[in-house]
Amino acid sequence: MDTREDSGSGDAGSWRHYGQSDLPRPLNAALEAFAERGYDGTSIREIASRAGLSVPGLYHHYPSKQALLVSLTTTVLQDLLDRSRQAISEAGPSPSERFDAVVESLLRFHMFRRDQAFVASTEMRSMEPEARRAFVALRDEQQRMIDEIVDDGVADGTFGTPFPKDASRAVTTMCVAVASWYRPDGSLSPDEIVRRYLLVARNAVGAP
């Protein structure tokens, strides 16, 4: 399986495939700057320069630095949600099959979109209240996917954890943390990381 090739969004298994990010230039420039300097340490002039735009030209598309952050993080989470939904829809009907699919989707996203995931996670603190609420709602939607699968697995005896909500949140936290340490030139391939972490995740929910 070549996880580094992109694929059409409607193709079976395309949720596993990652090519170059297709963010608009201003958002890609904001991503690079926020990842390097943080939101507070980045000026709108620097983002404009990285995007090859004048400051007025940047403001034509995004009226503020906050608008750039909101658009970037919303785009990131929507991509994650779309991939997770596709992974679940293509998995088998059992809780264990759906669980493996959504966990693998989370892991691959946080490996191949690690800068995007990192900025979305760390810069939630820089969002204005309304934007933060909308961001948290999207994040909670992702968490509910796993919660519901684990609940289904506990109900039919597939999973043995006595603490399904705690277990599902622990699994999510573990997957998200991959973005903080994964490197393409590391000693473990993406497929090997997925294999190992699936075993850990299954243990967390009490899979046999």
Side-chain angles (χ1 to χ4, degrees):
M1 178 192 306
D2 187 352
T3 58
R4 299 177 190 272
E5 291 184 0
D6 211 351
S7 177
S9 60
D11 296 342
S14 62
W15 57 271
R16 287 189 173 99
H17 301 162
Y18 290 84
Q20 291 296 316
S21 172
D22 58 356
L23 288 171
R25 276 192 304 159
L27 293 188
N28 194 60
L31 170 65
E32 291 176 355
F34 295 160
E36 290 176 17
R37 301 178 181 274
Y39 178 83
D40 290 336
T42 298
S43 69
I44 200 75
R45 187 174 298 279
E46 179 180 357
I47 295 172
S49 176
R50 287 174 182 255
L53 297 169
S54 66
V55 171
L58 178 61
Y59 278 140
H60 177 73
H61 300 283
Y62 300 92
S64 65
K65 188 169 70 166
Q66 181 72 196
L68 282 160
L69 176 63
V70 170
S71 184
L72 173 62
T73 54
T74 300
T75 299
V76 169
L77 275 188
Q78 287 291 0
D79 184 21
L80 173 60
L81 287 168
D82 289 346
R83 289 175 183 274
S84 294
R85 292 189 192 104
Q86 185 184 358
I88 292 170
S89 71
E90 293 178 5
S94 71
S96 60
E97 290 168 312
R98 289 183 286 133
F99 179 78
D100 282 4
V102 74
V103 169
E104 181 180 350
S105 177
L106 271 172
L107 288 167
R108 291 194 184 280
F109 186 87
H110 286 86
M111 284 187 276
F112 293 111
R113 293 289 183 262
R114 62 190 184 280
D115 285 347
Q116 296 182 18
F118 174 77
V119 168
S121 176
T122 59
E123 295 301 346
M124 182 178 71
R125 64 195 174 192
S126 302
M127 295 177 186
E128 295 173 357
E130 185 177 349
R132 188 182 301 115
R133 285 192 291 271
F135 177 86
V136 170
L138 290 175
R139 189 185 62 182
D140 289 350
E141 185 176 343
Q142 174 67 53
Q143 184 61 54
R144 279 195 300 273
M145 292 184 196
I146 303 180
D147 290 347
E148 291 169 2
I149 293 169
V150 175
D151 285 342
D152 289 347
V154 170
D156 74 1
T158 300
F159 303 142
T161 177
F163 308 112
K165 289 292 186 293
D166 299 297
S168 63
R169 280 163 175 74
V171 168
T172 299
T173 300
M174 175 186 73
C175 294
V176 169
V178 169
S180 68
W181 60 261
Y182 170 77
R183 296 293 180 272
D185 58 354
S187 60
L188 297 176
S189 71
D191 287 346
E192 178 61 18
I193 291 169
V194 168
R195 188 186 73 81
R196 294 185 182 195
Y197 271 59
L198 277 175
L199 290 175
V200 176
R202 291 167 188 157
N203 285 336
V205 297

